[in-house]
Amino acid sequence: MAESSISIRGVSKSFGATQAVRNLDLEVPRGSLCGFLGPNGAGKSTTIRMIMSIIYPDSGDITVLGGSTLGNKDRIGFLPEERGLYRKMRVGEFLEFMGHLKGVRGNVRKIASDWLTRLELPGVYDKRCQELSKGMQQKVQVLASVIHNPDLIILDEPFSGLDPVNAAVLSRTIRELHAEGKTIIFSTHVLQQAEELCERIFLINHGVKLLDATMTEIRQRFDPRTIVVEPMTPNGDFRDVPGVLSSRPLSQSHLFELSLEPGADPQRVMQAIASRTAIRSVELRRPTLSDVFVQLVMKDQGEAAARQASEELTTEPAWLAGASSSLDEVIP
Amino acid sequence: MNKVLWIAWREFKHTALTKAFILAAIFIPIMIVGMIFLLGPLLKPRIAPLKGTLVVAASDPEITLGVIREMDPDRIRERQELSRERREKAFGAEAESKMMNPGAAMAEVLRLPSIHVKVEAADADADLEVLKDQVRAGELLAVAVVRDDALVSEQTPATNGYDLFVASDSAPNHTTLFEDALADAIVGVRVGRVGLNIENTRSLLRRPEANTRRVSEDGGEASENVAAKMIIPMAFMTLLWIATFTSGNYLLTSTIEEKSNKVMEVLLSAVSPLQLMTGKLLGQAGVSFILLAMYGGLGIAALIASAMMDLVPMIHLVYLLIFFIMGFFMVAALMAGVGSAVSELREAQSLITPVMMLLMIPLILWLPITENPNGALATVTSYIPPLIPFVMMLRVTAASEPVPLWQILSSIVVGYIWMFIMIWMCAKIFRVGVLMYGKPPTPLELLRWIRYR
């Protein structure tokens, strides 16, 4: 196994009667780009705070970059979920201050200026933080977390509050940092972003790890073996196509979902469909993380819990209000 | 530069090197001092020029003669000087007045206006209504009616007086001038009637000056100085209080600001809570020291200017520094603890009120402790945090007879132990508090945070 940047073994954390994290094991391989997923209150931020030694686990061990977080703080870039800026401070001064706190050596001013250009924030160096838009502020915060060129980057909900354009800039930056060899782990509850970016996924719910696998492994393991067909005419009966187990129309569309028989070759089935019927499209359905999550939670806690957790994950949550008191809520 | 020092520098820079601080902490005191020096003499009451006739209706012509003597500008000056001395003795303000404005006493005497009052006699049975009409019409300044029974040696309060009629728009200090002249003239006549000389009697009645000296156990003597005993301790304690409290307040608001701006966790990604708190405390200690040095320097400059530096021995300045460090870190620990526990300034009110009440105690205890610096109250409060530095500052500067050395040393040791305990407790609260949002904690919850891992 590749050397781990973060190694979590048997970690549990309770706040009063509420168990936020239960016996969690996690290995973040060095140089990987990982997504840390889960609905609100799943224990993501608590885990990240424990990784950062902001709070301490009740039991278990956490090793970061082969040692303790406190000993390696200058090698870690961390964007917390609860983040902000000194409103009256100028952007450049804030970045220089954060650079000094994170042990940057050399010309901090130049490093900060270069990063501002890279994140498409030219001309804001001398502006006060309060003069920036929310999206720009968030990019400054991301910049502050990586200004010291860390080996390990931990981003807690980096995309929340960003418009699509800024989200794309951030995605590109994350990919670039990953290409430079950094280990990156970011938490999100928007599954599509994780699917697009990550090579490894950790899924957590109610403090328990449900999934820990690479995207390739997930696609193999959770292959739905389903083909979606859109015929040219609304009517379609595909049950007699060899290899098709069942067919059902999808609501509010002309699409049909065909389940394959065990052992059937999807390629051949699609060819058979195309040769028999005039079709607009045919595709092999890939498992989405949402499907995977629902499946896992359903197995663990039943269908109702799975649906509820899935909704929390896929809809844009009011995270600002909910997550801001995550510690406070659980300490009686 | 060390991370803690970077935090301290930011804290210092964004508190002390701001327009608001420079305006509030530097210009306002300078303006106040300037106003005292420049406006003080101008604001002193002055008597408007007085010209006209005062009619004295009395059966004894000696009264009128006496009033003429008493209305002489030299005699008026003498009387004012006497009353000033009496006032200063009553309030122990001699030194203070000299300290604030050395030339004030002289200026007060010299600033008498031109007084040209003609004193005329009227018969005791003159028509009072006619005279009063003349006062109303502005032809006379005033009419005084002195009855015979005011001149006898045995009097009752009812017979002791005389009537004075002045115009409704007569200035109060003009009326006082007439009243004083008449009263002294009547007393002069009374004294003359029993065969004494009024000048001799006056000088006999002047109260002697006391030259009180305290003799101490070691055989030394120390002069009793009212100003040194009362004003100097208050000045020292206020200096300490303002310096620590002002920067403590800055610490409170900056900590709350970091929480409400949600920049706290960003900082904690780079430094530990203890490093953050230490940096903030050091930064504000710098602010506090600037305030102390600035106000203290102004005070010392004023003392040197008025050649009264002997009121403040060097050891008092050493004590000031020792108790300043203790006082600042005690107040700062309380403020940082409260600041870290709440999310907004208004939420701090419920937690800060008891702290404020505690810190007001030294101000309330100023008088009893200064009057009795070695008493039970002073001794007991010298060991109660966070009162220790303030009470001890009052005691060591108040006592003409020194506070026992063992008490000073033990209170310094106890104070510094308490200071470290308070910083430790604050660090515990700070560590948990900075990550807490939502409902502000109760004092009981704060205690739980101290035990929280």
Side-chain angles (χ1 to χ4, degrees):
Chain A
M1 196 173 74
E3 198 182 343
S4 295
S5 284
I6 300 172
S7 178
I8 297 176
R9 285 178 298 275
V11 161
S12 295
K13 179 72 183 173
S14 297
F15 298 107
T18 310
Q19 199 160 16
V21 176
R22 300 167 203 214
N23 199 26
L24 185 69
D25 291 307
L26 215 67
E27 298 287 337
V28 177
R30 184 157 291 184
S32 62
L33 172 49
C34 304
F36 194 29
L37 313 183
N40 293 327
K44 302 188 297 284
S45 291
T46 304
T47 307
I48 288 176
R49 281 173 164 170
M50 285 191 289
I51 293 171
M52 287 308 298
S53 288
I54 292 172
I55 53 175
Y56 295 91
D58 297 335
S59 59
D61 291 313
I62 298 177
T63 310
V64 179
L65 296 172
S68 72
T69 304
L70 295 177
N72 288 306
K73 226 164 191 176
D74 290 348
R75 292 174 63 202
I76 306 169
F78 173 50
L79 177 75
E81 185 189 19
E82 293 294 323
R83 52 189 171 242
L85 303 164
Y86 287 109
R87 292 168 52 77
K88 298 252 169 84
M89 228 169 162
R90 296 189 191 278
V91 172
E93 192 191 3
F94 173 73
L95 291 174
E96 284 181 38
F97 173 62
M98 289 307 297
H100 289 306
L101 291 194
K102 287 164 184 273
V104 174
R105 298 188 200 290
N107 191 340
V108 188
R109 188 183 173 89
K110 186 174 181 314
I111 296 170
S113 295
D114 291 348
W115 260 108
L116 284 172
T117 311
R118 189 170 169 182
L119 281 178
E120 299 180 9
L121 287 170
V124 301
Y125 198 91
D126 290 319
K127 281 193 176 172
R128 290 192 192 280
C129 293
Q130 62 187 6
E131 293 169 28
L132 304 185
S133 71
K134 202 179 163 200
M136 289 164 107
Q137 286 186 6
Q138 187 144 332
K139 287 203 284 188
V140 170
Q141 287 153 359
V142 172
L143 196 170
S145 65
V146 297
I147 193 167
H148 55 308
N149 194 24
D151 297 327
L152 170 64
I153 299 168
I154 301 170
L155 308 170
D156 199 350
E157 299 280 359
F159 293 98
S160 66
L162 283 184
D163 61 47
V165 176
N166 282 320
V169 171
L170 182 58
S171 293
R172 191 195 68 210
T173 309
I174 289 175
R175 281 197 191 95
E176 285 171 1
L177 287 166
H178 179 229
E180 288 169 19
K182 316 284 183 205
T183 308
I184 303 173
I185 177 167
F186 70 89
S187 77
T188 183
H189 54 267
V190 183
L191 299 172
Q192 290 89 327
Q193 273 158 349
E195 271 185 289
E196 283 168 26
L197 277 171
C198 298
E199 53 190 38
R200 189 175 193 90
I201 296 291
F202 305 108
L203 207 65
I204 181 173
N205 193 33
H206 294 304
V208 178
K209 186 171 77 176
L210 299 181
L211 178 68
D212 178 355
T214 63
M215 280 306 293
T216 315
E217 286 169 352
I218 290 169
R219 281 175 191 136
Q220 283 171 358
R221 202 193 308 171
F222 295 92
D223 185 353
R225 298 186 58 74
T226 306
I227 289 171
V228 178
V229 184
E230 187 181 5
M232 295 293 273
T233 53
N235 304 320
D237 189 358
F238 303 98
R239 274 173 298 183
D240 55 346
V241 176
V244 171
L245 187 67
S246 63
S247 163
R248 69 180 183 98
L250 292 176
S251 57
Q252 297 176 334
S253 69
H254 301 308
L255 301 175
F256 289 84
E257 191 181 69
L258 317 180
S259 298
L260 303 185
E261 285 172 352
D265 180 359
Q267 204 64 35
R268 288 189 178 204
V269 175
M270 285 196 288
Q271 281 172 356
I273 293 167
S275 63
R276 289 173 56 144
T277 321
I279 53 168
R280 208 180 296 275
S281 67
V282 59
E283 64 173 347
L284 182 64
R285 196 168 156 202
R286 297 172 72 184
T288 63
L289 279 177
S290 181
D291 296 334
V292 173
F293 181 75
V294 170
Q295 261 191 55
L296 289 168
V297 178
M298 199 161 13
K299 202 168 111 191
D300 190 40
Q301 293 162 16
E303 192 174 348
R307 293 284 158 225
Q308 193 190 339
S310 172
E311 275 167 25
E312 281 177 23
L313 267 170
T314 48
T315 54
E316 191 61 37
W319 67 277
L320 272 172
S324 64
S325 53
S326 52
L327 251 181
D328 191 39
E329 281 170 359
V330 288
I331 293 181
Chain B
M1 195 155 75
N2 184 295
K3 288 181 182 184
V4 170
L5 294 181
W6 275 111
I7 295 167
W9 169 239
R10 200 214 77 86
E11 189 79 12
F12 178 81
K13 186 181 168 194
H14 283 265
T15 307
L17 305 183
T18 60
K19 284 181 206 153
F21 179 85
I22 292 168
L23 195 74
I26 298 177
F27 283 124
I28 290 177
I30 289 174
M31 274 169 60
I32 291 170
V33 172
M35 277 167 67
I36 290 169
F37 272 91
L38 298 175
L39 295 181
L42 298 178
L43 292 175
K44 282 196 185 299
R46 55 184 304 158
I47 302 169
L50 184 61
K51 194 174 182 186
T53 309
L54 165 68
V55 171
V56 180
S59 53
D60 190 337
E62 280 297 318
I63 295 286
T64 313
L65 291 174
V67 173
I68 291 169
R69 274 197 300 275
E70 295 296 334
M71 285 305 290
D72 182 78
D74 284 343
R75 178 69 191 121
I76 292 172
R77 231 173 247 134
E78 194 184 322
R79 219 171 26 237
Q80 285 203 333
E81 180 66 14
L82 253 174
S83 86
R84 194 179 63 83
E85 269 176 27
R86 246 181 261 131
R87 210 167 50 232
E88 283 176 359
K89 255 187 203 154
F91 293 104
E94 186 182 13
E96 185 194 25
S97 144
K98 278 185 192 160
M99 202 186 300
M100 298 314 293
N101 194 347
M106 192 57 78
E108 194 178 349
V109 176
L110 293 179
R111 232 183 317 103
L112 264 185
S114 58
I115 295 172
H116 301 285
V117 179
K118 191 178 165 195
V119 181
E120 283 180 3
D123 289 339
D125 55 355
D127 189 345
L128 191 58
E129 288 310 315
V130 174
L131 291 170
K132 279 202 261 184
D133 282 344
Q134 284 179 291
V135 172
R136 276 188 203 105
E139 293 162 18
L140 295 177
L141 289 173
V143 172
V145 181
V146 183
R147 289 178 296 278
D148 275 347
D149 51 10
L151 303 171
V152 295
S153 53
E154 288 172 5
Q155 295 157 351
T156 63
T159 62
N160 193 13
Y162 61 92
D163 294 321
L164 180 68
F165 300 96
V166 295
S168 58
D169 58 352
S170 175
N173 48 24
H174 287 167
T175 314
T176 310
L177 209 64
F178 296 142
E179 285 168 357
D180 289 348
L182 276 152
D184 280 0
I186 291 169
V187 171
V189 172
R190 283 180 196 161
V191 171
R193 282 192 178 184
V194 293
L196 295 172
N197 177 293
I198 182 63
E199 297 302 327
N200 289 346
T201 312
R202 270 203 193 110
S203 61
L204 285 171
L205 284 172
R206 282 191 88 151
R207 291 167 66 88
E209 290 280 342
N211 183 15
T212 314
R213 298 174 83 77
R214 284 183 187 257
V215 287
S216 55
E217 286 161 9
D218 57 5
E221 287 181 20
S223 317
E224 179 88 345
N225 188 326
V226 175
K229 210 175 91 175
M230 305 299 288
I231 304 299
I232 297 288
M234 182 59 174
F236 266 103
M237 202 269 286
T238 311
L239 182 65
L240 197 63
W241 199 86
I242 288 178
T244 55
F245 192 76
T246 308
S247 55
N249 222 17
Y250 281 127
L251 186 61
L252 174 80
T253 48
S254 83
T255 310
I256 295 173
E257 190 194 355
E258 275 160 2
K259 273 192 82 178
S260 63
N261 283 352
K262 299 188 189 301
V263 78
M264 193 60 94
E265 213 165 315
V266 176
L267 296 174
L268 293 180
S269 70
V271 294
S272 69
L274 191 65
Q275 280 176 312
L276 179 62
M277 194 192 78
T278 311
K280 289 177 75 63
L281 287 184
L282 288 180
Q284 289 298 345
V287 175
S288 191
F289 185 75
I290 292 251
L291 289 169
L292 183 86
M294 200 171 62
Y295 294 142
L298 272 179
I300 289 172
L303 284 175
I304 291 171
S306 51
M308 295 178 74
M309 199 50 201
D310 58 319
L311 287 177
V312 181
M314 197 48 76
I315 188 72
H316 284 187
L317 299 181
V318 175
Y319 285 139
L320 178 67
L321 206 62
I322 292 172
F323 290 117
F324 162 72
I325 294 169
M326 186 196 294
F328 169 77
F329 282 104
M330 281 182 174
V331 173
L334 288 170
M335 294 300 195
V338 171
S340 67
V342 299
S343 310
E344 287 178 44
L345 196 55
R346 63 186 160 80
E347 290 174 1
Q349 294 307 320
S350 59
L351 287 175
I352 208 73
T353 307
V355 176
M356 285 287 292
M357 285 171 70
L358 206 61
L359 290 174
M360 293 301 280
I361 292 176
L363 299 181
I364 299 164
L365 295 184
W366 160 56
L367 213 56
I369 288 179
T370 315
E371 280 179 353
N372 194 3
N374 284 326
L377 177 72
T379 312
V380 169
T381 47
S382 299
Y383 296 96
I384 300 174
L387 308 180
I388 300 170
F390 304 104
V391 170
M392 280 311 290
M393 206 62 237
L394 278 177
R395 291 185 65 194
V396 294
T397 52
S400 304
E401 187 181 340
V403 176
L405 189 63
W406 71 266
Q407 280 195 22
I408 298 178
L409 292 178
S410 60
S411 79
I412 289 175
V413 171
V414 170
Y416 272 88
I417 289 171
W418 267 114
M419 184 189 91
F420 284 112
I421 291 173
M422 286 170 78
I423 292 175
W424 174 80
M425 285 165 73
C426 164
K428 295 288 238 178
I429 291 173
F430 196 90
R431 204 191 61 165
V432 179
V434 288
L435 297 169
M436 291 290 181
Y437 290 91
K439 184 169 72 71
T442 61
L444 214 64
E445 278 171 315
L446 285 184
L447 287 178
R448 279 220 338 263
W449 288 6
I450 293 170
R451 297 201 313 264
Y452 185 65
R453 191 190 166 217

